[in-house]
């Protein structure tokens, strides 16, 4: 069954086209990730789907309700956690939660089972003002407030941005538990490592979906052999690789460089060479080592983004 359907969504701000003819569907009970960098169009899309912004063209439905005609009904059945912390910072944790329960004509007790695992972690601070909470605690409170009226679809716009790695891990563990309770979750994130926690992902760049599939299928579709290389002279090696005509791509990834070749990489007499037909290129002799690696979603994103730019 379909929880959300979007068809040919377009949105322009002045001369900037934020969304370009986006169409996709989200199945009930799945975690659907929209993965992309800042400025890719994620927040604009979320604001349209949560009835806060009108699209220039196209239409969308949430649980069969039109986001324009049925916006009042949709607001009662969705939960929305915007990227920026938007609760009342001068109210306490407990007061914020009570307020949102009252707005939706319910009580904390009625739907406590939905937020119990989350709220237990912030309950010791229930008398503390929201503005005084840490980043991770703010996110847990915001998620509790988004869930208190038992939504069928939950929209999370970059919920872990600016949160420490431990809190990020805990947050996604909570989302997986919510999925088990039948809630459809649509989450956007700039963190590529979070993509593997979703059932399906849409890789977005410049307002367009470059690919939509399961994380496993996205990775399996990477067409090249990927190598990682490390050296104590990274800038020099990166420059050399990018200037080599047989190097297809070279990007810095943390402490290594991820490289693909138009030819075959081979060790010959203790030296790394690239071979294609009758062409042989020897790489610099300073100390480094190539290791064949499995691509990540981020590697796939970089390749798709490069191909998208080359087509323009």
């Amino acid at each position: 069954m379909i929880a959300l359907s979007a068809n040919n969504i377009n949105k322009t701000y002045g001369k900037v086209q934020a969304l370009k003819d986006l169409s996709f569907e989200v199945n009930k009970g799945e975690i659907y990730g929209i993965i992309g960098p800042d400025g890719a169009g994620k927040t604009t899309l979320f604001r349209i789907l949560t009835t806060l912004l009108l699209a220039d063209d196209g239409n969308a439905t949430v649980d069969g309700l039109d986001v324009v005609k049925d916006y009042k009904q949709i607001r009662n059945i969705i939960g929305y956690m915007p990227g920026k912390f938007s609760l009342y910072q001068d109210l306490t944790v407990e007061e914020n939660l009570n307020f949102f329960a009252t707005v939706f004509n319910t009580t904390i007790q009625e739907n406590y089972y939905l937020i119990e695992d989350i709220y237990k972690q912030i309950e010791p601070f229930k008398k503390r003002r929201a503005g005084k909470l840490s980043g991770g605690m703010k996110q847990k409170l915001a998620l509790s407030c988004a869930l208190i009226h038992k939504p069928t679809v939950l929209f999370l716009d970059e919920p872990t941005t600016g949160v420490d790695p431990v809190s990020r891990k805990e947050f996604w563990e909570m989302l997986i538990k919510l999925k088990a309770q039948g809630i459809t979750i649509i989450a956007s994130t700039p963190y590529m490592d979070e993509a593997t926690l979703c059932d399906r992902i849409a890789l977005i760049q410049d307002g367009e979906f470059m690919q939509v599939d399961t994380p496993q299928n996205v990775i399996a579709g990477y067409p090249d052999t990927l190598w990682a290389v490390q050296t104590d002279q990274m800038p020099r090696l990166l420059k050399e690789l990018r200037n080599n005509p047989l190097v297809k791509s070279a990007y810095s990834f943390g402490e290594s460089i991820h490289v693909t070749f138009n030819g075959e990489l081979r060790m010959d007499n203790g030296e790394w060479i690239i071979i294609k037909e009758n062409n042989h290129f020897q790489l610099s002799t300073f100390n480094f080592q190539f290791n064949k690696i499995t691509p990540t979603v981020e590697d796939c994103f970089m390749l798709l983004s490069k191909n998208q730019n080359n087509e323009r």
Side-chain angles (χ1 to χ4, degrees):
M1 295 180 67
I2 304 300
L4 182 148
S5 177
N7 300 289
N8 309 114
I9 299 293
N10 288 278
K11 184 63 183 178
T12 302
Y13 298 107
K15 296 182 179 179
V16 177
Q17 190 166 2
L19 297 176
K20 303 173 184 176
D21 208 34
L22 283 187
S23 297
F24 66 104
E25 291 182 341
V26 179
N27 298 320
K28 281 187 180 293
E30 75 173 336
I31 300 179
Y32 190 96
I34 300 177
I35 318 295
D38 292 343
K42 302 186 300 295
T43 296
T44 295
L45 177 60
F46 271 53
R47 288 175 62 81
I48 290 171
L49 297 177
T50 55
T51 78
L52 300 175
L53 184 68
L54 292 174
D56 296 336
D57 297 296
N59 59 80
T61 61
V62 178
D63 273 355
L65 299 171
D66 187 274
V67 295
V68 177
K69 298 175 183 176
D70 307 314
Y71 72 94
K72 289 184 179 179
Q73 293 161 268
I74 287 177
R75 290 177 184 180
N76 284 321
I77 64 168
I78 65 169
Y80 176 44
M81 184 174 159
K84 184 179 179 181
F85 184 70
S86 57
L87 302 184
Y88 294 98
Q89 304 208 31
D90 55 341
L91 296 183
T92 66
V93 168
E94 191 174 43
E95 288 169 341
N96 266 291
L97 199 54
N98 274 313
F99 172 78
F100 281 94
T102 303
V103 166
F104 286 101
N105 196 30
T106 186
T107 64
I108 296 175
Q109 292 74 24
E110 186 175 349
N111 295 319
Y112 185 71
Y113 72 96
L114 268 179
I115 66 168
E116 183 176 6
D117 289 344
I118 309 165
Y119 189 65
K120 277 181 178 178
Q121 299 180 45
I122 56 176
E123 194 169 15
F125 312 99
K126 65 182 181 180
K127 299 299 182 184
R128 183 177 296 181
R129 290 188 179 184
K132 299 295 184 180
L133 296 173
S134 67
M137 291 296 180
K138 283 181 177 178
Q139 299 301 73
K140 290 166 187 172
L141 174 58
L143 181 58
S144 296
C145 291
L147 287 168
I148 198 60
H149 61 294
K150 195 180 178 181
T152 59
V153 182
L154 183 62
F155 292 87
L156 307 173
D157 189 6
E158 299 192 1
T160 57
T161 298
V163 176
D164 65 271
V166 174
S167 294
R168 281 177 58 196
K169 182 175 180 293
E170 290 176 349
F171 194 90
W172 276 91
E173 287 172 352
M174 295 173 198
L175 296 188
I176 292 169
K177 289 180 180 178
L178 291 172
K179 176 196 168 183
Q181 297 186 48
I183 296 176
T184 303
I185 299 170
I186 304 166
S188 70
T189 179
Y191 299 123
M192 300 290 168
D193 59 315
E194 294 182 350
T196 57
L197 303 172
C198 302
D199 297 308
R200 285 193 300 148
I201 55 174
L203 302 180
I204 186 172
Q205 175 80 317
D206 297 330
E208 297 179 274
F209 282 173
M210 299 184 293
Q211 186 174 2
V212 178
D213 211 329
T214 65
Q216 295 77 18
N217 285 345
V218 169
I219 292 170
Y222 195 82
D224 303 308
T225 300
L226 186 65
W227 300 83
V229 58
Q230 288 183 312
T231 178
D232 55 0
Q233 300 183 53
M234 295 286 279
R236 177 183 164 188
L237 178 59
L238 182 61
K239 183 178 179 181
E240 177 180 331
L241 289 169
R242 287 180 171 173
N243 288 332
N244 191 310
L246 291 186
V247 172
K248 193 172 183 179
S249 66
Y251 297 103
S252 293
F253 276 75
E255 297 180 347
S256 64
I257 299 172
H258 288 192
V259 194
T260 60
F261 298 97
N262 285 316
E264 178 189 356
L265 181 68
R266 183 186 302 173
M267 175 71 80
D268 186 28
N269 294 323
E271 297 177 344
W272 289 100
I273 60 172
I274 312 168
I275 302 172
K276 184 178 182 182
E277 298 173 349
N278 295 323
N279 295 321
H280 292 65
F281 284 86
Q282 178 183 333
L283 295 172
S284 294
T285 57
F286 55 85
N287 185 38
F288 59 84
Q289 178 66 39
F290 282 96
N291 294 297
K292 193 180 295 186
I293 61 171
T294 301
T296 64
V297 171
E298 188 167 0
D299 291 303
C300 298
F301 185 94
M302 297 295 288
L303 176 63
L304 289 166
S305 181
K306 179 183 177 182
N307 292 341
Q308 183 187 62
N309 290 332
N310 289 340
E311 290 172 359
R312 291 175 177 171

